[in-house]
Amino acid sequence: MSRYDFSAVEKKWQKYWDEHKSFEAVNDYSKPKFYALVEFPYPSGHGMHVGHIKAYSGLEVVSRKRRMQGYNVLFPIGFDAYGLPTENTAIKENIHPRIVTDRNIEKFTNQLKTVGFSFDWSRVVDTTEEDYYKWTQWIFLKMFENGLVFRDKTSVNYCPSCKVVLSNEDSQGGKCDICHSDIVQKTKEVWYLRITEYADKLLQGLEEVDYLPNVKLQQQNWIGKSTGAFVEFAVKENGEKLRIYTTRPDTLYGVTFMVMAPEHPMIEKYRDGIANIAELDAYKAECAKKSEFERTQLVKDKTGVRIDGLTAVNPITGKEIPIYISDYVMMGYGTGAIMAVPAHDQRDYEFAKKFGIDIIEVIKGGDISVEAYTGDGEMVNSGELDGISNKKEAIEKMLGLLAAKGCGEKGVQYKMKDWAFNRQRYWGEPIPIVHCPHCGMVAVPYEELPLRLPKVENFEPGTDGESPLAKIDEYVNCKCPKCGCDAKRETDTMPQWAGSSWYFLRYCDPNNDSEFASQEALKYWMPVDWYNGGMEHVTRHMIYSRFWHKFLYDLGLVPTSEPYAKRTAQGLILGPDGEKMSKSRGNVIDPNDVVDEYGADVLRLYVLFMGDYEKAAPWSESSIKGCKRFLDRVWGLRDMLVDGDEYSDELRSQFHKTIKKVTEDIEAMKFNTAIAAMMTLINDIYSVGRINKAELGAFCTMLNPFAPHITEEMYSETFGSILSEQSWITYDEALCKDETIEIVVQVNGKLKAKLNIAVDADKDSVIAMALDDEKVRESVEGKNIVKQIYVPNKLVNIVAK
RNA sequence: GCCGCCGUGGCGGAAUAGGCAGACGCAUGGGACUUAAAAUCCCACGAUAGCGAUAUCGUACCGGUUCAAGUCCGGUCGGCGGCACCA
């Protein structure tokens, strides 16, 4: 048997597919379409990771199969190329980020091609190219026009090492997402996108899409909707209203104090009337020093200071209650102030214990001398609410009382915050806004887009956190597009997430220079039928892009309210040591090495065979040999080839069964069991000792999506035609069944015998056969048969006592 | 703390909808071929007892439902992920 030269064969077919544009989607809008999307890579200098291979191999298999099934498949790829690592390389090596980006994209392109992915290479998108980011800016301006862009001075997450302001999403755990330094708090005026305006739509949209359940759940948690009430407490000294948000209006009789966030504006407003203002200022200063992370992460003693000079009045009871400031209340959620009910909230309970404040039980069921009771029960000490259930009844009644007094109403809150939309770095989309001393913020006119990144010598950010663009006078100084007077250009750039928020739209019509994509193309291709990616992008990229898409939908610019009909996620590939791959651990597997040693087909097969696609699995150097052996055995089929246009009797039902299994498993992303079924089939073929042409053709076809190179080679050698242009093979449900079937005979649930019976044999004859079996007879001897259970084609269970 | 997911051989993992636990692959042991090695092929491979046919136990642990539980229900322990002083 001639040895399989994977290297030559793989190159040969990659060249063929490239030259024949084999996998380009066609603009024939009458064909059924299938739009499969994978997360486009950030082209880092390290090249591809085996994780990319696994992430792309899933929909690669589905796409190749769907093409053979007659779909017009759009399976595009591109590069999400703006970002800090590229800029940092540029600074370090003193070359322009454009050059670094082009270099990295070339490297990624070559790597993707050596794996044989069937991407549509005619639609490649690069977010840093002018004809792409022109439209990113265009959409931003549409948002600006529609009031979704604003500037606000707030405490921001700032990375002193990257010299950049980060969103909450990019600074989770108090560490910079890029360089892992500690984040500090800085007050800065920054850009925001009003994503909270879409909170409810983003939540409701989840009901109409087919996402993995935990993907939906994570997005729901991220949006974090809660329902409750806004209540106004009068402040005795100045007649002001202190507005709070609570999810527990039923507990209003149990309020014994109020807490404001240290930054609450009422303190500044009435500082003259506060006797202990110096003490409050000291506490505020102490809080400001702590990062958001320290403030929230540490499980620590409650601290706070009572405001001497402001007293709240409970709108229902008329009782006067003290007001405190404490850092356990955040300015960024609700109204920045709470009503505290120590009997029924653990945080309030701890605070009250420490400060010696009354704890009044208003719901029966717990022991408030030990801890707060947060469960449900009957109302007590609550006037007109006494005796009813705290749940719906008391809440409804209280809302009625508040409404009657005009000091409260139902309310909804979201945990999701507005999207901090800026970077003070060079390598990003320039924000197309001009600051005019007369007109304020003015949009750059649409016809002047793209607003190009200027050429710069030095990409280093300023030490003050200013963008490098701020140092370029000819960029900064401009005329106001509205009034023509001297004005200054905005120098912040957009965050990394901007370009990926609409790339799936551009793939539909990537070369359009008059629109971001034509309506015709969008109507045909959208929504994305199947989007696969990593769990790490579920709450950031996915929510951001759903937001942009819903915005465009509201403007009538895209045809669907949701961008992605279906979302799945692949599990991580861990290092051979079972730990997450990282350079510092030295357990990184380079896909190039695997391709060189075993070939692309083996790599593709292995990443799908190694375990459940959606779960993490460790890389194993020895397991990959199993895939190599399998393909060697596939190649060996050439030596046992005989004539025949139909499946042989020995293998017919095996083939039908395997085709059915593979066809179904691919759609269910159960690639590991699909491969296992083909391994079983090849074991069967080897024990028969021969394979005919019809069988070889069918085998190559079902293996083709997984291992396209070897199967193209074998197919063209045998049939003289191109496998990827053939139709997917079908199976006959009737032929998947054998004529006789083995069933299990149990006595009292224990396996005693196996019988070969005709398929769908009737109960009585099967049970008679079972009872006739020698071992079964032994087991039931001297006992009464109380029950006989027959599960057709599966088992017989005889219950005897 | 809250929410969600998961615990199956030496290992990765299979097991429609409760119906033969361990498919498929790896590793290991034995054998064949070979001067030898690699490669390949054949056999064995959950545990315990037994020469053996076989028996008993076995899907983290305890209990329940059922003719029948890896699968369903209640509880415990362990691991992973998300959110986190969210009022």
Side-chain angles (χ1 to χ4, degrees), chain A residues 254-282:
Chain A
V255 177
T256 55
F257 61 103
M258 311 288 289
V259 188
M260 292 180 187
E263 306 86 355
H264 199 281
M266 195 179 280
I267 298 159
E268 274 316 301
K269 196 167 170 190
Y270 295 102
R271 58 183 298 125
D272 295 343
I274 298 171
N276 61 340
I277 190 71
E279 199 186 342
L280 295 185
D281 284 343

Side-chain angles (χ1 to χ4, degrees), chain A residues 534-732:
Chain A
M535 283 307 292
E536 71 275 18
H537 289 129
V538 160
T539 48
R540 295 190 268 183
H541 158 63
M542 274 194 83
I543 290 196
Y544 293 155
S545 55
R546 288 182 60 223
F547 162 49
W548 279 41
H549 191 266
K550 281 181 174 298
F551 166 71
L552 293 171
Y553 177 71
D554 286 348
L555 294 187
L557 297 173
V558 293
T560 61
S561 66
E562 283 289 338
Y564 319 121
K566 174 175 179 167
R567 167 75 184 202
T568 52
Q570 76 282 351
L572 286 179
I573 297 182
L574 305 171
D577 54 0
E579 301 289 332
K580 201 171 162 174
M581 282 191 192
S582 73
K583 269 191 296 168
S584 58
R585 247 193 213 95
N587 61 352
V588 176
I589 302 293
D590 184 343
N592 282 344
D593 296 345
V594 182
V595 171
D596 290 347
E597 190 173 352
Y598 299 101
D601 284 337
V602 172
L603 172 64
R604 296 165 57 114
L605 209 56
Y606 178 60
V607 296
L608 295 178
F609 182 64
M610 62 195 296
D612 184 335
Y613 188 68
E614 290 176 2
K615 288 202 191 119
W619 185 267
S620 162
E621 278 299 337
S622 53
S623 285
I624 196 168
K625 284 186 198 143
C627 293
K628 171 77 178 153
R629 276 182 204 144
F630 170 62
L631 288 187
D632 285 344
R633 278 160 76 79
V634 171
W635 186 248
L637 293 175
R638 296 157 67 256
D639 296 330
M640 41 178 102
L641 186 60
V642 296
D643 274 337
D645 307 329
E646 282 175 24
Y647 297 136
S648 62
D649 289 344
E650 303 101 304
L651 292 169
R652 183 177 300 110
S653 78
Q654 289 307 327
F655 263 91
H656 280 280
K657 275 189 228 171
T658 310
I659 293 164
K660 176 178 156 73
K661 175 104 181 121
V662 171
T663 304
E664 290 172 354
D665 280 359
I666 287 174
E667 292 295 323
M669 291 203 133
K670 292 165 79 174
F671 305 114
N672 53 341
T673 49
I675 295 166
M678 289 187 280
M679 286 174 166
T680 306
L681 178 58
I682 206 162
N683 291 343
D684 292 341
I685 295 169
Y686 267 76
S687 49
V688 168
R690 64 180 175 276
I691 185 169
N692 68 32
K693 281 176 96 172
E695 289 159 347
L696 185 83
F699 194 91
C700 286
T701 307
M702 67 178 130
L703 181 58
N704 177 261
F706 299 86
H709 308 89
I710 191 172
T711 48
E712 282 280 16
E713 179 69 13
M714 289 171 67
Y715 195 89
S716 80
E717 188 184 69
T718 311
F719 297 95
S721 49
I722 300 301
L723 179 52
S724 47
E725 293 166 5
Q726 307 302 311
S727 294
W728 187 249
I729 21 146
T730 53
Y731 57 91
D732 184 341

Side-chain angles (χ1 to χ4, degrees), chain A residues 50-259:
Chain A
V50 278
H52 288 115
I53 309 292
K54 184 173 173 186
Y56 301 157
S57 291
L59 287 186
E60 156 75 358
V61 168
V62 177
S63 292
R64 280 188 180 261
K65 165 175 164 277
R66 291 280 189 117
R67 263 186 222 107
M68 293 173 116
Q69 287 178 316
Y71 286 88
N72 187 15
V73 171
L74 174 55
F75 186 44
I77 191 71
F79 300 96
D80 187 16
Y82 274 131
L84 283 177
T86 297
E87 188 169 333
N88 290 339
T89 307
I91 292 170
K92 215 163 99 191
E93 299 182 18
N94 197 28
I95 36 177
H96 196 276
R98 174 77 265 157
I99 296 167
V100 178
T101 299
D102 288 342
R103 191 172 80 186
N104 291 345
I105 285 178
E106 196 191 340
K107 186 170 184 177
F108 267 69
T109 302
N110 288 336
Q111 285 184 307
L112 288 165
K113 286 191 177 177
T114 56
V115 181
F117 287 126
S118 64
F119 291 125
D120 181 342
W121 289 101
S122 71
R123 292 178 188 244
V124 172
V125 148
D126 168 0
T127 57
T128 65
E129 270 178 11
E130 281 174 15
D131 58 2
Y132 184 86
Y133 75 70
K134 168 182 174 177
W135 298 107
T136 310
Q137 292 172 329
W138 188 89
I139 297 168
F140 175 87
L141 286 184
K142 282 284 166 200
M143 288 190 160
F144 182 73
E145 216 172 79
N146 285 276
L148 291 174
V149 178
F150 66 100
R151 271 167 86 75
D152 197 14
K153 207 168 207 165
T154 40
S155 177
V156 294
N157 304 301
Y158 180 77
C159 173
S161 165
C162 297
K163 295 171 184 159
V164 72
V165 173
L166 296 169
S167 66
N168 289 332
E169 291 85 334
D170 292 335
S171 52
Q172 285 173 7
K175 303 272 183 204
C176 171
D177 213 35
I178 297 143
C179 71
H180 307 289
S181 323
D182 286 338
I183 295 298
V184 297
Q185 297 307 112
K186 236 184 163 172
T187 304
K188 223 179 159 17
E189 192 170 73
V190 298
W191 293 93
Y192 283 96
L193 295 188
R194 218 179 284 282
I195 190 171
T196 51
E197 191 115 312
Y198 277 77
D200 224 33
K201 282 184 178 172
L202 288 168
L203 198 59
Q204 277 169 15
L206 291 174
E207 281 162 30
E208 53 189 78
V209 292
D210 174 21
Y211 291 179
L212 233 48
N214 54 334
V215 170
K216 264 191 200 183
L217 196 78
Q218 271 193 38
Q219 294 198 7
Q220 279 161 358
N221 288 344
W222 186 261
I223 296 165
K225 182 176 183 170
S226 85
T227 54
F230 289 102
V231 183
E232 284 175 349
F233 285 64
V235 179
K236 192 181 82 176
E237 288 82 355
N238 54 29
E240 185 95 27
K241 302 280 188 196
L242 177 57
R243 192 173 159 82
I244 60 99
Y245 174 73
T246 180
T247 54
R248 300 293 305 275
D250 50 320
T251 61
L252 234 133
Y253 275 89
V255 177
T256 55
F257 61 103
M258 311 288 289
V259 188

Side-chain angles (χ1 to χ4, degrees), chain A residues 759-771:
Chain A
V759 170
D760 297 330
D762 69 291
K763 177 176 175 174
D764 291 345
S765 66
V766 175
I767 286 178
M769 264 174 84
L771 288 171

